[in-house]
């Protein structure tokens, strides 16, 4: 008789076997690593169970979750918040099902509003799911010359325009954080979205100095476009990229992405992840012009009986008034208030 995996909540003492399992799993992402739970707890104060499956003492699956709780947005579990990826890793479907059942049982016992699990493929077909978003991936060539040849003459001309204006790009680490945050926080205010605190980015740079990087485009001494990058295995991801609107006429955002792609090739990455978009939306079309292709996202939900799918997205119609009001705030005030709000949005 074949024994079944047993699911428990991982303790700090199980960090090493958890990390070994994630490191060996073909579908693992950066956000499955044990350290994310610790970082989120330290920066945002959120905690959540990390579920681990074992069979005869051997790890057979993991599911990291974080509990977000606020009066404004509710009380729920996410795997993983703030990013596009997460969900269950397991040796087989049966173990994956036990991990998801354990998380659902935890959510039900705690009276939570829902559980959101961010998969790229269906894992629990009996749960409701969202598949209206995609991530845009670009396979990278071996050299920069091939990359720019593939981009076409029109795009190459847009990339060269900022150089004629004297723009220059620089990549680095924590020494560029102030420049990145100056651009990012102002752009988020302009979009009407609360901004993450500077400490979040500082913590990531400190925890994973080899995987995290910042790219900044300067015009003179002014940072005008910036990106925060996270690399894992063969893929480089750009979770956050921003530019100042008054400089977009010079094409500084085009230069930013071109420099990031060159950096990715120099570092040996094979895929560039442009991040999440709605099909045919403006960001989708921007990414597609670089040659990126859509990769499906499949976010699955456990819900209490009778509950509807949550609408905790900045582009949700229910937040339109809040977005309009936020856009009118002074940047310093938005930067002060924003982190306490956005930490509770997944």
């Amino acid at each position: 008789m074949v024994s079944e995996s047993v699911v428990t909540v991982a303790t700090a003492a199980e960090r090493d076997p958890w990390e070994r399992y994630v490191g060996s799993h073909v579908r693992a992402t950066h956000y499955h690593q044990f350290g994310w739970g610790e970082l989120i707890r330290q920066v945002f104060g959120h905690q959540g169970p990390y579920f681990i499956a074992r069979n005869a003492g051997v790890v057979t699956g993991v599911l990291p979750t974080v509990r977000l709780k606020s009066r404004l947005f509710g009380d729920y579990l996410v795997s993983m918040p703030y990013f596009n990826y997460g969900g269950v890793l397991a040796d087989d479907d049966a173990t994956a099902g036990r991990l998801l059942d354990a998380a659902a049982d935890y959510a039900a016992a705690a009276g939570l509003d829902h559980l959101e699990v961010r998969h790229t493929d269906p894992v629990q077909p009996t749960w409701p799911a969202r598949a209206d978003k995609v991530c845009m991936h670009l396979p990278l060539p071996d050299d920069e010359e091939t990359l720019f040849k593939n981009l076409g003459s029109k795009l190459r001309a847009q990339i060269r325009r900022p150089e004629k204006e004297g723009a220059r790009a620089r990549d680095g680490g924590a020494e560029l954080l102030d420049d990145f945050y100056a651009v990012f926080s102002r752009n988020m205010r302009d979009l009407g979205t609360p901004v993450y605190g500077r400490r979040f980015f500082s913590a990531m740079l400190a925890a994973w100095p080899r995987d995290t990087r910042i790219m900044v485009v300067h015009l003179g001494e002014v940072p005008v476009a910036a990106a925060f990058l996270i690399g894992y295995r063969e893929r480089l991801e750009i979770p956050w990229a921003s530019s100042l609107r008054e400089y977009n006429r010079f094409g500084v955002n085009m230069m930013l992405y071109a420099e990031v792609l060159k950096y990715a090739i120099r570092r040996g990455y094979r895929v560039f992840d442009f991040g999440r978009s709605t099909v045919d939306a403006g960001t989708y079309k921007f990414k597609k012009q670089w040659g990126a292709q859509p990769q499906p996202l499949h976010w699955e939900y456990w819900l209490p009986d009778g509950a509807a799918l949550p609408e905790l997205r900045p582009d949700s119609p229910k937040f339109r008034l809040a977005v309009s009001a936020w856009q009118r705030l002074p940047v310093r005030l938005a930067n002060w208030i924003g982190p306490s709000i956005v930490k509770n949005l997944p």
Side-chain angles (χ1 to χ4, degrees):
M1 181 176 178
V2 178
S3 60
E4 297 180 347
S5 296
V6 176
V7 178
T8 59
V9 174
T11 66
E14 293 175 289
R15 175 175 183 147
D16 286 347
W18 178 293
E19 295 284 51
R20 285 194 295 271
Y21 184 80
V22 169
S24 66
H25 201 288
V26 67
R27 298 178 69 86
T29 70
H30 202 288
Y31 313 107
H32 285 99
Q33 296 179 91
F34 201 86
W36 279 105
E38 298 173 346
L39 185 147
I40 290 171
R41 182 174 62 253
Q42 292 168 2
V43 174
F44 299 117
H46 298 313
Q47 301 189 54
Y50 268 40
F51 299 96
I52 187 167
R54 290 180 180 272
N55 191 331
V58 178
V59 178
T60 55
V62 297
L63 172 60
T65 69
V66 176
R67 182 174 179 177
L68 279 63
K69 183 178 181 180
S70 71
R71 291 182 179 179
L72 188 59
F73 302 115
D75 189 0
Y76 51 95
L77 285 182
V78 187
S79 177
M80 288 288 288
Y82 316 129
F83 298 99
N84 297 323
Y85 306 107
V88 66
L89 297 178
D91 285 1
D92 50 64
D93 292 344
T95 303
R98 291 188 186 93
L99 284 160
L100 291 171
D101 287 344
D105 290 344
Y106 177 97
L112 304 189
D113 299 325
H114 65 269
L115 161 67
E116 177 180 283
V117 191
R118 299 182 171 183
H119 293 134
T120 54
D121 295 296
V123 176
Q124 182 54 279
T126 63
W127 287 6
R130 277 203 176 97
D132 57 327
K133 301 284 187 179
V134 296
C135 271
M136 303 293 288
H137 289 185
L138 174 67
L140 294 172
D142 294 330
D143 57 83
E144 297 175 20
E145 182 179 354
T146 302
L147 170 71
F148 283 91
K149 181 180 179 181
N150 293 341
L151 293 180
S153 58
K154 181 179 178 181
L155 198 56
R156 290 196 299 268
Q158 291 176 302
I159 292 167
R160 288 193 296 267
R161 167 79 191 281
E163 295 179 6
K164 298 176 182 178
E165 301 292 337
R168 55 186 175 81
R170 177 186 172 196
D171 69 87
E175 74 278 7
L176 292 178
L177 180 54
D178 286 343
D179 286 349
F180 163 80
Y181 196 72
V183 176
F184 173 70
S185 60
R186 182 173 163 192
N187 184 63
M188 295 300 285
R189 190 284 311 268
D190 291 346
L191 293 172
T193 304
V195 67
Y196 293 112
R198 184 184 182 280
R199 184 185 174 199
F200 183 35
F201 302 99
S202 178
M204 287 186 280
L205 290 164
W208 294 286
R210 295 181 61 183
D211 298 341
T212 53
R213 203 71 173 168
I214 291 173
M215 182 75 70
V216 179
V217 173
H218 289 86
L219 196 57
E221 298 301 317
V222 180
V224 295
F228 194 97
L229 310 171
I230 299 178
Y232 188 69
R233 296 180 177 171
E234 293 189 334
R235 186 173 70 200
L236 182 66
E237 183 182 357
I238 186 168
W240 300 283
S242 297
S243 60
L244 300 183
R245 291 184 177 182
E246 62 267 35
Y247 294 97
N248 282 344
R249 68 185 187 276
F250 299 128
V252 294
N253 59 325
M254 305 300 289
M255 182 179 192
L256 175 70
Y257 275 87
E259 292 295 328
V260 168
L261 289 172
K262 289 193 290 185
Y263 168 82
I265 291 172
R266 290 196 303 269
R267 291 289 297 266
Y269 291 105
R270 304 306 303 165
V271 176
F272 183 71
D273 186 340
F274 279 85
R276 187 169 78 238
S277 292
T278 300
V279 175
D280 290 331
T283 57
Y284 176 91
K285 294 175 181 177
F286 173 83
K287 297 165 185 177
K288 196 168 180 60
Q289 71 179 328
W290 296 87
Q293 296 299 314
Q295 304 295 317
L297 295 173
H298 200 85
W299 293 6
E300 298 177 322
Y301 294 83
W302 169 87
L303 300 167
D305 290 340
L309 283 171
E311 290 289 344
L312 298 177
R313 298 177 297 171
D315 57 353
S316 172
K318 68 186 292 186
F319 292 128
R320 280 177 185 159
L321 284 176
V323 167
S324 179
W326 199 268
Q327 290 171 323
R328 294 191 292 271
L329 290 178
V331 174
R332 290 183 65 181
L333 181 59
N335 289 354
W336 181 55
I337 301 173
S340 64
I341 297 174
V342 74
K343 73 174 186 177
N344 295 310
L345 282 170

